[in-house]
Amino acid sequence: MKKGQVYEGIIESVEFPNKGRIYVPEEDRWVVVKNGVPGQKVRFSVNKIRKGKAEGRLLEVLEPSASEIPSACPHFGQCGGCTYQNLPYEEQLAMKNEQVKKMMDEAVDGEYIWEGIKPSPVRTEYRNKMEFSFGDEYKDGPLALGMHKRGSFHDIVNVTDCQIVDEDYRKILACTLECARESGLPYYHRMRHVGYFRHLLVRKAVKTGEILVDLVTASDTAELGIDPTEAVSKIQTFKTVWLEKMTSLKFDGTLVGILHTKNDSLADVVKDEGTEVLFGQDYFYEELLGLKFKITPFSFFQTNSLGAEVLYETAREYIGDTNEKVVFDLYSGTGTIAQILAPVAKKVVGVEIVEEAVEAAKENAELNNLDNCTFWAGDVLKVIDELGEVPDLIMLDPPRDGVNPKALMKILNFGVERLVYIACKPTSLARDLEMIQGRGYKVEKISGVDLFPGTYHVETCVLLSKLKSTPHIEVDIELDEVDLSKAESKATYAEITQYVLENTGLNVSRLYIAQVKRKHGLIERINYNVGDGKSRVPQVTPEKEKAIEDALRHFQMI
């Protein structure tokens, strides 16, 4: 198999995130191809071969899957925003259920309760926030405003009929694009770092209907690619016309604010380097589970309000009795979880790195008449030592990459009775679970919550409890009784796991490694992986057993 070769095959399964697996019999090799669904016959080209793993790029769907349906969105397939709109919602849930459970089965030591994937209360028009990008649909084409084209860093797809937002978003999108085109101002070119229009941020509350719009551009003094004097005149004219047209639009919701944010950062991200209020205010209100939240343009808030209620209800159920207990809400955003827990807790302490979100959280607590919440601005790793509190329970809701290992160590040192971890990326959760379980915690139950219908994303909520220490006896062993030069000293569990992942693409848990080591007579200390002899313990599959044995041979352990 070589890069550039074209093959045909059936997508046998799809693993998280969005990784279709195709077996190529003539090469006796599996290839990972994105953006397909199980059962499709596809044509693909190989674009990467590394350490025995091959990746391909989807060229064409030759035969649809038996479960496929026509997408309700005319942009599906071109737009990179959604991946599974061609599957019935029940099929989407079933696939996410299989993907996440497989990862958790491999990451969790021992038995746990799997509660499946809870569906989103709404499947279309569910988002309360969208970031649209300016660009062109093809090189030197007309100005476009929408989402990145699937698989492209440069091209933008106009998404005038996007189905994951409601009609108000579509009106704002069309109006802004029309005014931008009429202005004659160029979009900001990501490679040349020249131009004006960058992003359009739209947020709308589901419960209150309030709408906040923020246009993100380069500053007036930046390199715009046109005469500076002409640019200033065009910018002022555009703002006047755009503001007039926007405020005259008829919305189902209520337009409460129009903002203009300047951003000269080289990175292709929405960054606040100064925001001007052109109309109304720079915030809006949303309601969750009977509480009211003030949300600012750049503060974190779950993008599916009704789905967030399902997620937070699950987290509240998992954390259990909070009466007379101190709860830490780490990575607290605008304080949503903290304030949902506060009414029945002794005290809730939130930590969040975005200062704007912390100020909003404090205002929200006052808005909801909660006087037992405190919020700290800063990195959890640094701030946690300064809190002056010892928690009884901890709620974790970290960003996509999970918890910094040093911060996680400090968190676990509190030794709380129960810990709830909310993850927006299950692969990061699986990684963090290894350390959490290694420090004496047991996974009790896990539930997925689908906040992102039509996409491969999914939230995961985990309840962990502190294992009780068991009676033990101390035994003195002379050092010469143990030969540390033999197999057990040659590789750690982490090294074995990494070797297997790099060479086979398989994730193997410490439990499975321990089972294979015991099979080969290697010394295995008693630990939490062994089980109590009463519960059913997952057994290593033949495929993973062979992969682990290959790793043990590599490290000269067998």
Side-chain angles (χ1 to χ4, degrees):
M1 181 175 285
K2 296 179 181 178
K3 287 176 64 175
Q5 283 186 288
V6 176
Y7 295 90
E8 295 179 3
I10 305 289
I11 298 177
E12 304 287 346
S13 63
V14 177
E15 296 182 347
F16 184 91
N18 187 26
K19 294 180 178 179
R21 299 182 76 242
I22 301 173
Y23 182 66
V24 182
E26 59 265 39
E27 302 287 351
D28 190 25
R29 176 174 285 184
W30 289 90
V31 181
V32 171
V33 177
K34 292 185 176 182
N35 300 317
V37 298
Q40 284 179 333
K41 183 178 180 181
V42 300
R43 179 178 290 117
F44 63 94
S45 63
V46 177
N47 59 4
K48 187 184 292 186
I49 301 175
R50 185 182 177 192
K51 295 183 178 180
K53 294 186 289 184
E55 295 181 14
R57 181 170 62 89
L58 181 65
L59 299 176
E60 181 183 4
V61 176
L62 301 173
E63 295 178 14
S65 166
S67 57
E68 275 189 80
I69 59 173
S71 170
C73 180
H75 313 297
F76 178 72
Q78 272 195 310
C79 169
C82 297
T83 45
Y84 300 138
Q85 287 195 352
N86 57 338
L87 287 179
Y89 188 59
E90 294 71 22
E91 291 282 340
Q92 296 180 34
L93 286 181
M95 186 159 59
K96 291 181 180 184
N97 184 84
E98 182 180 349
Q99 291 173 348
V100 178
K101 186 175 188 302
K102 180 181 178 183
M103 277 188 284
M104 295 302 101
D105 284 348
E106 292 172 350
V108 175
D109 296 340
E111 292 281 305
Y112 71 98
I113 297 171
W114 170 250
E115 296 190 327
I117 306 288
K118 297 180 180 180
S120 170
V122 285
R123 288 86 191 267
T124 60
E125 301 185 349
Y126 60 83
R127 287 190 66 94
N128 59 37
K129 175 187 176 184
M130 284 293 281
E131 291 177 7
F132 300 108
S133 298
F134 285 93
D136 49 23
E137 291 199 80
Y138 52 88
K139 188 176 181 181
D140 299 325
L143 183 66
L145 174 59
M147 304 293 288
H148 281 276
K149 186 177 180 181
R150 180 179 284 182
S152 173
F153 176 72
H154 302 283
D155 299 340
I156 300 298
V157 178
N158 284 313
V159 288
T160 51
D161 295 301
C162 176
Q163 296 299 298
I164 60 175
V165 295
D166 70 16
E167 185 62 26
D168 285 347
Y169 286 82
R170 297 190 276 268
K171 288 180 180 179
I172 293 167
L173 194 63
C175 175
T176 304
L177 179 57
E178 178 187 2
C179 292
R181 283 177 172 173
E182 289 175 353
S183 75
L185 291 163
Y187 73 89
Y188 181 84
H189 196 283
R190 295 166 186 79
M191 300 300 290
R192 296 197 296 265
H193 308 299
V194 172
Y196 185 65
F197 293 113
R198 299 194 68 161
H199 299 95
L200 178 69
L201 174 65
V202 185
R203 304 188 76 157
K204 179 183 178 182
V206 172
K207 297 288 185 69
T208 67
E210 293 184 347
I211 304 167
L212 187 66
V213 179
D214 189 2
L215 179 70
V216 183
T217 72
S219 62
D220 299 5
T221 56
E223 180 59 57
L224 303 183
I226 58 176
D227 178 74
T229 304
E230 181 187 0
V232 170
S233 174
K234 285 187 172 184
I235 289 170
Q236 191 54 52
T237 301
F238 161 76
K239 281 181 167 181
T240 302
V241 172
W242 181 59
L243 195 60
E244 182 181 333
K245 288 190 175 182
M246 284 286 293
T247 52
S248 64
L249 288 173
K250 302 297 182 185
F251 295 113
D252 289 333
T254 304
L255 183 64
V256 297
I258 299 177
L259 316 177
H260 177 209
T261 293
K262 295 178 181 179
N263 174 21
D264 288 331
S265 166
L266 297 183
D268 186 28
V269 294
V270 176
K271 186 178 180 182
D272 182 10
E273 293 182 348
T275 296
E276 174 190 5
V277 178
L278 302 179
F279 166 81
Q281 60 202 36
D282 62 352
Y283 60 88
F284 68 102
Y285 289 103
E286 177 63 295
E287 296 174 4
L288 286 183
L289 298 174
L291 297 174
K292 198 168 187 177
F293 296 94
K294 177 182 178 181
I295 304 169
T296 51
F298 303 104
S299 56
F300 173 78
F301 196 84
Q302 288 287 359
T303 55
N304 178 340
S305 297
L306 298 180
E309 291 190 320
V310 177
L311 177 64
Y312 294 150
E313 282 277 26
T314 303
R316 185 163 63 181
E317 174 201 330
Y318 277 17
I319 202 75
D321 181 20
T322 58
N323 187 39
E324 292 303 308
K325 295 184 186 295
V326 175
V327 183
F328 278 9
D329 177 17
L330 305 180
Y331 310 95
S332 54
T334 52
T336 46
I337 299 177
Q339 291 170 68
I340 288 166
L341 298 175
V344 288
K346 179 180 179 182
K347 185 176 184 179
V348 181
V349 179
V351 179
E352 168 59 44
I353 198 167
V354 180
E355 292 188 19
E356 179 185 308
V358 173
E359 291 307 309
K362 292 176 180 177
E363 290 186 44
N364 289 333
E366 188 175 338
L367 186 68
N368 291 307
N369 299 313
L370 298 170
D371 57 6
N372 62 337
C373 296
T374 59
F375 296 96
W376 292 65
D379 187 341
V380 168
L381 174 62
K382 299 174 183 177
V383 172
I384 202 167
D385 295 324
E386 305 169 9
L387 298 180
E389 300 270 0
V390 177
D392 299 299
L393 307 166
I394 291 177
M395 181 75 71
L396 284 172
D397 189 6
R400 293 186 61 76
D401 290 335
V403 185
N404 177 296
K406 292 181 180 178
L408 186 55
M409 186 67 72
K410 289 185 178 182
I411 292 165
L412 296 174
N413 283 341
F414 284 116
V416 296
E417 178 185 346
R418 292 190 304 280
L419 183 153
V420 172
Y421 189 131
I422 297 175
C424 55
K425 188 178 180 184
T427 47
S428 299
L429 169 63
R431 182 203 64 216
D432 288 347
L433 282 178
E434 181 173 3
M435 180 184 288
I436 298 172
Q437 292 173 114
R439 295 299 301 274
Y441 280 86
K442 181 185 185 306
V443 175
E444 298 288 350
K445 52 186 175 180
I446 303 177
S447 174
V449 182
D450 186 24
L451 265 61
F452 316 98
T455 78
Y456 60 80
H457 300 291
V458 62
E459 295 278 331
T460 312
C461 188
V462 184
L463 169 64
L464 298 110
S465 63
K466 184 73 173 172
L467 284 164
K468 302 291 189 296
S469 59
T470 54
H472 64 279
I473 58 173
E474 294 185 3
V475 178
D476 291 325
I477 300 177
E478 295 296 328
L479 286 178
D480 58 6
E481 291 182 35
V482 181
D483 181 3
L484 290 178
S485 68
K486 290 188 178 178
E488 199 176 15
S489 66
K490 291 185 183 286
T492 64
Y493 279 95
E495 288 170 335
I496 295 170
T497 300
Q498 187 64 27
Y499 179 87
V500 172
L501 181 62
E502 288 182 353
N503 286 275
T504 68
L506 297 172
N507 286 303
V508 294
S509 67
R510 295 167 62 91
L511 173 64
Y512 290 164
I513 295 171
Q515 289 172 355
V516 176
K517 287 176 71 176
R518 282 199 297 273
K519 178 179 177 180
H520 287 275
L522 301 180
I523 298 172
E524 183 61 47
R525 294 179 180 86
I526 298 299
N527 59 39
Y528 294 122
N529 289 336
V530 173
D532 58 9
K534 299 175 184 177
S535 302
R536 184 184 67 81
V537 177
Q539 297 300 307
V540 62
T541 62
E543 182 185 21
K544 292 186 177 181
E545 180 177 358
K546 182 180 181 302
I548 294 169
E549 286 175 337
D550 288 343
L552 297 179
R553 291 189 187 95
H554 170 78
F555 291 112
Q556 299 179 6
M557 298 173 71
I558 59 174

